[in-house]
């Protein structure tokens, strides 16, 4: 039986997870593949750093170069994260013609094209199933399972921290700040939560998925990003009354025609991350706690959903093991670039500026309850040709500040933003408006 | 660019769907693969049979042998269905060393081992992604995405007709027979509905998925099958009151220890199809109408769900296109058996007889409302060491026949069956009991 040897860089959460599951399921993997899988060495930051699964000291080194350069290491697995040393490690391995496996979403999202070009130049491959949505094999599904499909819509709940916080806010009727603090206390959110909470982690993942779906490489800067900080318990409560659940969604939508496009011959896609109201009857509304899910609509397959744990030592290891299998098969059969890391196939597609994107909205205003308030607001919206589909105004006392909820028909983002700026300046409006999008999956 | 030519046998729903989507997305597929895909010929039953998408007459023939034997046909796609001529077609193509793609669940389920052996003997491959759950790439997910996992639990809603009927019964409060008739009228159920309604279609699919998950080939005869005919609107209503939804489930469960196993050293799996109550909070409970879903628990990845359309001209074509891509890549790279159709890897596993399977139950009895009725029933259950977890008995008038619902703790099937036979003979029990299983996904 052929033997393929692995070298792992990174012995933390994911690295020790991969080590552990190779011990437990290595024989099963080998019998399924007909290939012997050897583990040569694991480079770690420090031999005694805390890790969820123990690694024998004899397997560890603190010098990653000895692992990458070891001629007996056939596949390099980069699990250190970040965009500096990780990039060097990957480029070094690719230059040696070694296939590389990575779980590094930030790196692939930002430097994907450069890394893919290096892999091509050196006749090898880069595998990154573990970079998006942990254990959900969404990269394989998009590139192989749906290879015959044009992906018209893709919506992802791809950040477990945000989904955990929003789920608890809904179930407990709690507000954002205390729930975040509790999530931090329980280890579901980082001490510096910005990467998750402000949508940047979702941005990396949704950029990769959008790129694979549409055949143009979408860079982080091309993506409009809003996080979940503006979502209050009042919003979750009112959304619930209207039959909706609020989720942080990554959105990749083919747009039939841009609102004011000067290049009508080009296809547009909207690529964004924002908190959105989704109907309770939609499967995505049932995706709770730390779970992730990606909803994909293909022109052939129709509507599909892929659900699972998006992070963690075990789920991410499952994706790494799948890439190990593909890399080992590709080495055995000498087909290193059977499926290249990225195939560009849609140079006529461009990312739509968020200003031109059209959707429905939920607006929460804090207004003084007095005659004429609603009329003033409705007049501003009407002047911008923005239609109101429904209004909720809880009963209050004249002169008091009360919430006013408006559900808005399809309107361009730019028009909505301008109208809202005018509305904010009305003396009866007492706080900055909360603007959330409504996705109906039509 | 290398060219791979296809020959399709079957020009009905799926065959014409594959033809149509190759026309629409063929160029996209080619640019993603770097392989030119040619369609040589489609063999049909009759040139003028009705089909959802038109096929040009110049492409059609009524003689399948000319397609299979055409030296310019590199890949044969069998889409005629059934287990007679389809088997001959596939064996003929395999003998010629040609890779074969099929959507034929009944054939793979019954004759998988024979067909796989023929593929191996002739150094070629058999691809069958389209045979289970239509557009959901579940075969690829199990064999490749979860290659590093031991699959401990797999639950599938894999029959769209049953799910459509059960969903409508729940939403409309309707009974089984009229809903079935309406489903037949609307084309969601066949004139002879037995294959779907009595669980045999699910049996074929769950046998294939169970085989791939556990590495032993599970034949249809090894699978315990119950259909949805016994499910009444009363059951759906009471299940709802208790927080459950009734679905036809294919179940593949690793069993920790068999109840009265004489071969304690062997691993057991339960493989069954039956209507089951599932908690409304579980994602499978939100899978409605004709949609399918497969819930997979792996020892590494944890809980996952894959959702989409399980049948039809388009969703099934999506799976065939995915197999076309794999077959074309394998031809291009001369790696015809890169991933063999089935890898046996667990000869120490056996299918547990249903009598030995342990689970929770829902029992609906029709009893005379008089003092002592519940006591008599509870005494029989207690004598069999079967525990009642809850009871619902709607208020009635003494002497009337009323429903009595019992929720039963974990008990072996054999014990439950025997106790129920005794209960049925009580003079106060007025109709055959309805016994449904309860799955809690623990």
């Amino acid at each position: 039986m052929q033997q393929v040897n692995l070298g792992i860089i990174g012995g933390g959460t994911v690295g020790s997870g991969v080590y552990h599951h190779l011990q437990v399921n290595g024989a099963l993997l080998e019998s399924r593949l007909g290939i012997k899988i050897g583990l040569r060495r694991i480079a770690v930051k420090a031999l005694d750093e805390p890790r969820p699964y123990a690694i024998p000291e004899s397997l560890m080194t603190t010098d990653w170069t000895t692992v990458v350069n070891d001629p007996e290491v056939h596949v390099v697995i980069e699990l250190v994260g970040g965009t500096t040393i990780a990039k060097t490690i990957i480029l070094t391995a690719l230059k040696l013609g070694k296939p590389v496996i990575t779980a590094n979403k930030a790196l692939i999202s930002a430097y994907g094209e450069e890394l893919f070009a290096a892999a091509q130049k050196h006749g090898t491959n880069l595998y990154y199933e573990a970079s998006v949505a942990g254990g959900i094999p969404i990269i394989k599904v998009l590139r192989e399972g749906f290879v015959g499909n044009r992906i018209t819509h893709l919506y992802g709940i791809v950040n477990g921290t945000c989904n955990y916080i929003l789920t608890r806010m809904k179930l407990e009727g709690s507000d954002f700040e205390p729930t975040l603090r509790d999530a931090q206390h329980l280890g579901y959110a980082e001490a510096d939560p910005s990467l998750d909470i402000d949508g940047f982690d979702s941005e990396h993942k949704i950029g990769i998925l959008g790129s694979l779906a549409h055949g143009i490489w979408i860079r982080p800067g091309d993506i409009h990003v809003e996080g979940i900080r503006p979502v209050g318990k009042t919003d979750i409560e009112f959304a619930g009354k209207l039959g909706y659940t609020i989720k942080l969604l990554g959105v990749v939508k083919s747009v039939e025609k841009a609102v004011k496009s000067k290049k009508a011959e080009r296809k547009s896609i909207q690529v964004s991350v924002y908190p959105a109201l989704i109907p309770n009857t939609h499967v995505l509304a049932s995706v709770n706690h730390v779970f992730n899910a990606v909803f994909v609509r293909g022109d052939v397959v129709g509507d599909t959903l892929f659900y699972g744990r998006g992070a963690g030592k075990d789920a991410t290891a499952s994706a790494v093991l799948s890439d190990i299998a593909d890399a080992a098969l590709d080495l055995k059969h000498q087909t290193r670039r059977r499926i290249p890391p990225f195939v560009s196939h849609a140079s006529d597609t461009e990312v739509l500026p968020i200003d031109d994107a059209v959707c429905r909205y939920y607006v929460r205003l804090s207004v003084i309850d007095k005659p004429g308030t609603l009329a003033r607001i409705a007049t501003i919206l009407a002047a911008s040709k923005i239609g109101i589909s429904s209004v909720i105004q809880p009963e209050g006392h004249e002169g008091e500040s009360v919430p006013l909820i408006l559900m808005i028909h399809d309107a361009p983002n730019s028009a909505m933003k301008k109208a809202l700026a005018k509305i904010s300046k009305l003396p009866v409006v007492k706080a900055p408006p909360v603007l959330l999008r409504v996705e109906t999956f039509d």
Side-chain angles (χ1 to χ4, degrees), chain A:
Chain A
M1 211 182 336
Q2 181 157 351
Q3 171 146 353
V4 169
N5 292 330
L6 315 173
I8 298 178
I9 322 293
T13 304
V14 180
S16 72
V18 172
Y19 167 77
H20 172 78
H21 292 294
L22 273 174
Q23 299 311 302
V24 176
N25 285 355
L28 176 68
L29 187 64
E30 290 178 349
S31 86
R32 281 175 172 160
L33 296 175
I35 301 172
K36 204 152 168 45
I37 306 290
L39 177 53
R40 288 282 292 181
R41 221 69 193 290
I42 303 178
V44 299
K45 232 185 291 178
L47 297 183
D48 59 352
E49 68 186 320
R51 49 181 65 94
Y53 298 110
I55 299 173
E57 217 170 293
S58 61
L59 262 183
M60 291 192 286
T61 167
T62 53
D63 178 4
W64 65 264
T65 62
T66 62
V67 179
V68 172
N69 291 319
D70 181 345
E72 288 301 308
V73 164
H74 307 126
V75 178
V76 173
I77 305 175
E78 179 278 303
L79 301 171
V80 298
T83 54
T84 53
I85 182 73
K87 193 180 169 197
T88 310
I89 292 165
I90 292 180
L91 286 172
T92 307
L94 293 176
K95 268 177 206 155
L96 292 167
K98 298 189 182 188
V100 175
I101 293 167
T102 179
N104 195 327
K105 55 204 154 268
L107 185 66
I108 294 290
S109 165
Y111 299 105
E113 288 170 302
E114 182 184 343
L115 298 172
F116 302 156
Q120 178 165 29
K121 184 176 166 195
H122 300 289
T124 189
N125 212 339
L126 182 56
Y127 304 83
Y128 52 101
E129 180 64 76
S131 71
V132 180
I136 307 173
I138 189 67
I139 307 269
K140 191 173 272 288
V141 164
L142 283 178
R143 297 206 295 178
E144 302 177 41
F146 292 166
V147 65
N149 282 262
R150 223 166 281 273
I151 307 300
T152 60
H153 297 72
L154 185 152
Y155 301 88
I157 297 174
V158 288
N159 184 275
T161 303
C162 288
N163 206 37
Y164 174 83
I165 289 172
L166 291 173
T167 302
R168 282 195 53 190
M169 286 174 70
K170 180 171 180 176
L171 294 178
E172 297 164 19
S174 58
D175 224 328
F176 174 75
E177 284 295 342
T179 313
L180 169 61
R181 277 194 301 274
D182 204 49
Q184 286 171 316
H185 179 72
L186 293 167
Y188 289 112
E190 305 281 342
D192 176 0
S194 177
L195 182 69
D196 294 314
I197 298 309
D198 295 322
F200 303 119
D201 173 77
S202 297
E203 177 188 27
H204 298 151
K205 295 165 178 170
I206 220 66
I208 296 172
L209 296 181
S211 300
L212 291 175
H214 287 281
I216 55 167
W217 196 256
I218 300 160
R219 287 171 204 83
D222 301 333
I223 303 172
H224 175 77
V225 180
E226 298 175 21
I228 64 167
R229 290 189 205 262
V231 180
K233 68 175 177 183
T234 323
D235 302 308
I236 288 176
E237 193 188 314
F238 279 111
K241 282 183 188 165
L242 292 159
Y244 295 90
T245 297
I246 299 177
K247 298 286 184 190
L248 183 69
L249 275 192
V251 175
V252 184
K253 277 196 271 195
S254 292
V255 178
E256 286 297 311
K257 46 181 179 185
V259 173
K260 42 176 191 177
S261 172
K262 288 153 206 155
K263 308 171 190 166
E265 77 288 355
R266 291 175 73 83
K267 287 178 212 137
S268 285
I269 51 172
Q270 181 198 330
V271 188
S272 323
V273 173
Y274 43 65
L277 281 71
I278 59 181
N280 286 334
T281 50
H282 195 272
V283 278
L284 274 175
S286 322
V287 176
N288 286 322
H289 306 290
V290 297
F291 277 88
N292 283 14
V294 184
F295 177 89
V296 183
R297 180 176 293 159
D299 66 340
V300 185
V301 73
D303 288 356
T304 61
L305 180 98
F306 304 89
Y307 166 98
R309 282 182 188 273
K313 62 191 191 308
D314 303 312
T316 310
S318 173
V320 173
L321 291 176
S322 162
D323 274 350
I324 289 173
D326 273 334
L329 285 170
D330 286 343
L331 282 178
K332 175 183 173 184
H333 292 291
Q334 299 182 299
T335 56
R336 291 196 179 200
R337 293 185 55 78
R338 182 179 188 268
I339 297 180
F342 177 67
V343 178
S344 163
H345 58 76
S347 53
D348 61 339
T349 301
E350 65 184 8
V351 177
L352 189 75
I354 189 67
D355 276 351
D356 296 346
V358 171
C359 73
R360 296 171 59 191
Y361 303 87
Y362 158 102
V363 179
R364 174 165 58 88
L365 300 170
S366 186
V367 298
I368 298 297
D369 189 3
K370 67 176 192 180
T373 295
L374 183 57
R376 274 191 202 99
I377 291 162
T379 304
I380 292 175
L381 290 169
S384 304
K385 297 194 174 118
I386 293 170
I388 300 170
S389 65
S390 66
V391 176
I392 305 184
Q393 185 174 351
E395 259 188 283
H397 295 286
E398 204 173 299
E400 263 185 359
S401 180
V402 290
L404 173 66
I405 312 297
L406 304 171
M407 297 294 282
I408 305 288
H409 282 301
D410 268 345
N413 270 254
S414 53
M416 192 63 216
K417 237 165 43 186
K418 275 180 210 156
L420 218 51
K422 283 184 200 156
I423 289 168
S424 318
K425 286 182 195 146
L426 291 176
V428 290
V429 174
K430 288 297 163 201
V434 172
L435 177 71
L436 300 174
R437 289 168 184 83
V438 180
E439 292 290 349
T440 51
F441 307 94
D442 300 333

